[in-house]
Amino acid sequence: MTFDPTKHSHCRYNPLKDEWILVSPQRLSRPWQGQVHDDKNDADDDDENNNNNQQSTNPLCPGAIRGKTNERNPFYEHTYVFDNDFPALLSDISDDQNDNNNDDLFRCHVARGVCKVICFHPNSKLTLPRMTLDDITYVIKTWIDVYRDLANKYQWVQIFENRGEIMGCSNPHPHCQVWATDFLPNEARIKHRTQKDYFKKHNGNVLLLDYIKRELNDFKKERIVIDNEYWIVIVPYWATWPYETMLLPKRHILRLSDLTNDEQIGLCQIMKQLLIKYDNLFNTSFPYSMGWHGAPTGSFNNEDCSHWQLHALYYPPLVRSATIKKFMVGYEMLAQAQRDITPEYAAQSLRNLSGEIHYKDKKNK
Ligand code: H2U
């Protein structure tokens, strides 16, 4: 058999994370009766009464009282930021005496940080793809404000959104979280190293900028989902999740706080298009975890971090329909990640879908 990557199993290398992924396209010929989802229970719903009921009881809504603190949210009209009432990190631990950072076997360090919640919109039933571009602009501006504020003090500011129950999202109200830490978490630590190594080896070239260049010039754009003047969305060559995408600025940008106004507008547009495509894929409110990675902050603000390129990652779990998710179990837990559909197939499927008209708006016409 002559090796054909569209038909035969192979391993692809992820240079950002220094790890491999097993791709098994031959498994696509497995018999499968794919389902089409009934979307009546989706988070975004046009029913106003339904929405009002939610508003009164949901702690993330305007005017709601949050259980733990009895604090009342303001009647916010766009976004609203508050300190997470159940934070995973504490900011005021001062005692370093039990710190074991030099012990090779029982190593430990104090973890300081803060956790915030950003509500995207007053309406609990409105998800990002169905918001107006104006609404999404508020979200992006709030991301940047919160990021800028925390970046002065903390080494890493992780903005992330869990969308959908299947991703463990505890509340359907459109929101994301921000966890800022006085240390680099694993993903950041590894990407800091891999991008620095590449930068040194390639005489100051930036890994992700070289990657975009090659995707645009060498590969018939087969993994590119969508792009505009400032941004590009790619299913990475090394993608792990079935419909994983990476969203990057085309210009060399280290951090979210460095985006110009025009780049922010371009980001609104491309995010909305991508998220409409995602929802249109299985006619459902497409679940995912997404987040931003850029150069580290805090004391790194004074270091040269030119090897970094800002990027956002979307990790959606669905594989064949609105209810069939990819489980990272078995071989993935014990050996390495594996996927069936190729990144090229995933990119083509997303590319062919409308990024302008959401399936719910089509139905209403
Ligand atoms: P997730 O659904 O992505 O888990 O985010 C909801 C967050 O909102 C969660 O971290 C916080 C939870 O701790 N929260 C509050 O801070 N106060 C509340 O009254 C409800 C939820």
Side-chain angles (χ1 to χ4, degrees):
M1 247 184 331
T2 316
F3 171 61
D4 175 352
T6 65
K7 295 199 183 91
H8 304 139
S9 51
H10 57 280
C11 290
R12 298 190 187 189
Y13 181 64
N14 179 343
L16 267 179
K17 290 175 65 178
D18 185 18
E19 63 183 31
W20 292 86
I21 159 101
L22 172 61
V23 186
S24 318
Q26 72 281 7
R27 296 225 309 171
L28 280 175
S29 51
R30 274 185 305 163
W32 188 273
Q33 298 280 305
Q35 300 153 270
V36 174
H37 180 59
D38 173 354
D39 65 1
K40 65 178 180 288
N41 294 321
D42 281 358
D44 50 350
D45 192 321
D46 297 326
D47 182 347
E48 280 291 319
N49 297 328
N50 207 348
N51 186 39
N52 289 340
N53 286 340
Q54 271 273 330
Q55 305 278 49
S56 54
T57 51
N58 192 317
L60 269 51
C61 283
I65 295 177
R66 299 204 310 278
K68 195 177 170 207
T69 52
N70 270 344
E71 210 176 295
R72 186 186 279 280
N73 296 337
F75 285 92
Y76 62 94
E77 292 180 1
H78 302 291
T79 57
Y80 174 55
V81 185
F82 63 91
D83 286 332
N84 198 313
D85 299 314
F86 309 94
L89 294 149
L90 304 170
S91 58
D92 55 0
I93 316 164
S94 57
D95 182 9
D96 279 359
Q97 275 166 12
N98 293 325
D99 207 309
N100 266 349
N101 214 2
N102 296 322
D103 188 318
D104 282 345
L105 293 180
F106 296 89
R107 199 162 167 184
C108 159
H109 67 75
V110 176
R112 291 184 195 83
V114 291
C115 298
K116 294 186 180 281
V117 178
I118 303 178
C119 300
F120 290 161
H121 195 280
N123 184 345
S124 282
K125 293 287 182 176
L126 202 59
T127 56
L128 277 170
R130 303 196 78 207
M131 287 181 198
T132 63
L133 288 174
D134 249 18
D135 290 334
I136 303 176
T137 311
Y138 278 103
V139 173
I140 290 168
K141 293 223 177 277
T142 309
W143 279 344
I144 293 172
D145 287 347
V146 173
Y147 180 87
R148 198 169 270 144
D149 181 41
L150 295 171
N152 290 322
K153 182 163 178 199
Y154 290 102
Q155 304 290 85
W156 188 256
V157 181
Q158 185 59 59
I159 298 175
F160 64 97
E161 179 194 0
N162 292 322
R163 183 179 174 200
E165 274 173 39
I166 205 171
M167 293 309 291
C169 182
S170 64
N171 192 311
H173 191 95
H175 69 281
C176 73
Q177 299 193 45
V178 187
W179 294 15
T181 51
D182 68 347
F183 60 91
L184 291 190
N186 287 334
E187 297 275 313
R189 184 171 50 81
I190 292 164
K191 288 185 177 184
H192 191 62
R193 170 175 64 77
T194 54
Q195 289 177 104
K196 202 176 208 169
D197 289 350
Y198 184 95
F199 192 77
K200 272 193 205 145
K201 186 174 169 193
H202 297 269
N203 306 318
N205 279 12
V206 176
L207 188 156
L208 281 173
L209 290 179
D210 278 1
Y211 175 65
I212 297 176
K213 224 184 274 166
R214 295 206 45 206
E215 283 287 12
L216 282 167
N217 299 328
D218 296 359
F219 291 100
K220 299 186 212 142
K221 305 189 177 176
E222 58 188 337
R223 280 173 295 274
I224 296 173
V225 176
I226 192 170
D227 72 336
N228 64 27
E229 188 178 348
Y230 304 105
W231 295 88
I232 187 162
V233 176
I234 303 175
V235 178
Y237 178 73
W238 51 80
T240 298
W241 293 94
Y243 291 93
E244 173 178 334
T245 54
M246 185 186 273
L247 164 61
L248 314 93
K250 288 179 175 172
R251 176 174 77 89
H252 186 200
I253 296 181
L254 303 194
R255 301 181 175 94
L256 207 51
S257 45
D258 300 331
L259 295 176
T260 64
N261 208 42
D262 284 349
E263 285 162 346
Q264 291 173 33
I265 294 168
L267 177 58
C268 283
Q269 291 163 340
I270 207 161
M271 263 176 55
K272 185 170 164 88
Q273 286 172 315
L274 172 65
L275 297 181
I276 289 178
K277 279 175 179 285
Y278 269 154
D279 280 10
N280 285 347
L281 184 62
F282 297 131
N283 285 357
T284 194
S285 184
F286 204 65
Y288 57 73
S289 276
M290 74 77 68
W292 286 96
H293 283 175
T297 50
S299 67
F300 290 94
N301 289 328
N302 307 319
E303 284 183 25
D304 183 6
C305 287
S306 318
H307 50 284
W308 268 92
Q309 171 69 353
L310 175 70
H311 56 284
L313 297 150
Y314 285 85
Y315 295 148
L318 297 183
V319 60
R320 286 181 189 267
S321 74
T323 48
I324 309 291
K325 79 174 255 204
K326 162 83 186 163
F327 287 95
M328 290 287 177
V329 293
Y331 192 81
E332 281 91 351
M333 287 176 113
L334 291 151
Q336 73 181 31
Q338 180 271 341
R339 62 179 294 136
D340 293 351
I341 61 168
T342 61
E344 296 72 39
Y345 174 88
Q348 188 187 28
S349 310
L350 290 171
R351 212 169 31 240
N352 289 343
L353 290 162
S354 169
E356 307 304 321
I357 304 174
H358 192 274
Y359 72 94
K360 287 200 168 174
D361 298 325
K362 233 184 268 172
K363 268 191 215 162
N364 295 341
K365 275 190 182 154

